[in-house]
Amino acid sequence: MTQERRPIIAANWKMHKTHLEAIQAVQKLSYLLEKEDAERAEVVVCPPFTALRAVQTLIDADKLPYGLGAQNVHPEDHGAFTGEISAPMLAALKVRYVIVGHSERRQLFGEDDLFVNKKARAVFANGMTPIVCVGETLDEREAGGTESKVAQQIRRAFDNVAPEHAAKAVIAYEPIWAIGTGRNAEPADAGQVVALIRATLAERYDAALAQGVRVQYGGSVKPGNIRDFMAHPEIDGALVGGASLDAEEFALIVKYR
Ligand code: PGA
């Protein structure tokens, strides 16, 4: 972590928690976290769509210092897309971050790099920040293809993204084999891939922009391993799935020392 990049630790609740459970979890988090914890690292919660309004109301009413994130978005502003949610709808709920390109969306819902790029652009166009997820499968890693896969995902995700937008992006490096498996990447390995992500951004934009972009690690982050990830100079935070469902565990991750 350099001085200029504020750490960002985000809870990705995936398809867990009703709006009532979400309220409880955020309330509990607010008792567990000190003001300084949320100053040192930016804390973001990404509940399911059905809980966004409830969590937003709680954050507003109690003036909680947490960012609200959504887990997905459709690239079009409106139209005949039954079941989808658009970026203007999220922006109206004061959503600040939107996860795009999560490997579960790519693998289970067939989302490709072009679709991820459209989503990222829609998020930027509506004044929000995408958390762009990239990462390799175990087969790709074992075949030595990690770098080419991740670099390509980054190049495609940022296609036609203006520098003033790209500078604000958050990227999550999430090796797919580490997600929900209990098997986290080695911080040094993850740091190397994050450095490659910055090199790819530097090629596409410039070195200063790349140095300013925050890159998280994601994949089996827990209270017991967060410190090692945060200690790596390239890694600026974490995108946390399973361990974020429990407020106590997530609070320990946010405190990370
Ligand atoms: P995990 O999920 O922490 O449960 O591995 C991370 C993610 O999918 O963002």
Side-chain angles (χ1 to χ4, degrees):
M1 249 324 298
T2 68
Q3 283 295 308
E4 312 84 64
R5 297 195 305 259
R6 184 173 173 219
I8 174 167
I9 302 185
N12 172 14
W13 287 345
K14 309 192 179 184
M15 198 172 72
H16 295 283
K17 297 192 194 294
T18 65
H19 72 290
L20 300 172
E21 291 163 342
I23 290 171
Q24 274 181 351
V26 174
Q27 273 171 339
K28 198 165 171 191
L29 195 63
S30 72
Y31 303 140
L32 293 166
L33 291 181
E34 311 292 333
K35 195 164 158 272
E36 304 78 61
D37 297 325
E39 278 167 3
R40 190 166 52 111
E42 186 173 356
V43 179
V44 177
V45 286
C46 305
F49 286 136
T50 47
L52 282 175
R53 173 66 172 154
V55 172
Q56 178 233 329
T57 307
L58 174 62
I59 286 176
D60 277 1
D62 292 1
K63 298 191 172 44
L64 301 177
Y66 313 143
L68 183 60
Q71 297 175 20
N72 191 22
V73 67
H74 191 277
E76 298 296 329
D77 280 358
H78 47 75
F81 300 101
T82 301
E84 294 295 314
I85 302 287
S86 74
M89 294 172 187
L90 297 176
L93 283 172
K94 301 188 193 168
V95 165
R96 213 182 288 164
Y97 295 96
V98 184
I99 299 172
V100 302
H102 191 281
S103 61
E104 285 151 18
R105 303 280 338 156
R106 294 178 191 259
Q107 290 193 317
L108 304 173
F109 301 96
E111 297 188 2
D112 61 12
D113 289 333
L114 178 61
F115 200 47
V116 172
N117 171 252
K118 285 183 180 168
K119 289 180 184 214
R121 284 160 52 198
V123 171
F124 283 127
N126 286 277
M128 300 176 290
T129 299
I131 297 177
V132 179
C133 301
V134 297
E136 80 286 1
T137 64
L138 190 56
D139 283 353
E140 288 161 344
R141 165 158 287 250
E142 283 172 352
T146 300
E147 304 211 334
S148 59
K149 167 82 180 286
V150 170
Q152 174 165 298
Q153 284 180 321
I154 291 290
R155 279 194 293 268
R156 290 182 175 170
F158 284 86
D159 205 24
N160 286 312
V161 172
E164 59 271 26
H165 283 158
K168 294 191 193 122
V170 174
I171 294 169
Y173 168 55
E174 300 206 302
I176 296 170
W177 47 271
I179 295 178
T181 57
R183 181 183 163 200
N184 59 278
E186 286 304 319
D189 281 352
Q192 246 177 16
V193 180
V194 174
L196 165 92
I197 288 171
R198 287 214 171 84
T200 309
L201 287 173
E203 249 169 52
R204 169 76 176 74
Y205 300 97
D206 59 58
L209 184 148
Q211 277 312 306
V213 168
R214 293 184 293 176
V215 187
Q216 303 171 304
Y217 166 78
S220 298
V221 170
K222 294 186 267 308
N225 60 26
I226 181 69
R227 218 167 289 117
D228 295 339
F229 287 108
M230 298 308 288
H232 195 290
E234 291 282 352
I235 299 175
D236 307 314
L239 182 55
V240 188
S244 74
L245 292 173
D246 181 83
E248 275 173 33
E249 250 191 293
F250 186 59
L252 286 174
I253 290 172
V254 170
K255 289 173 184 282
Y256 73 83
R257 56 177 178 196

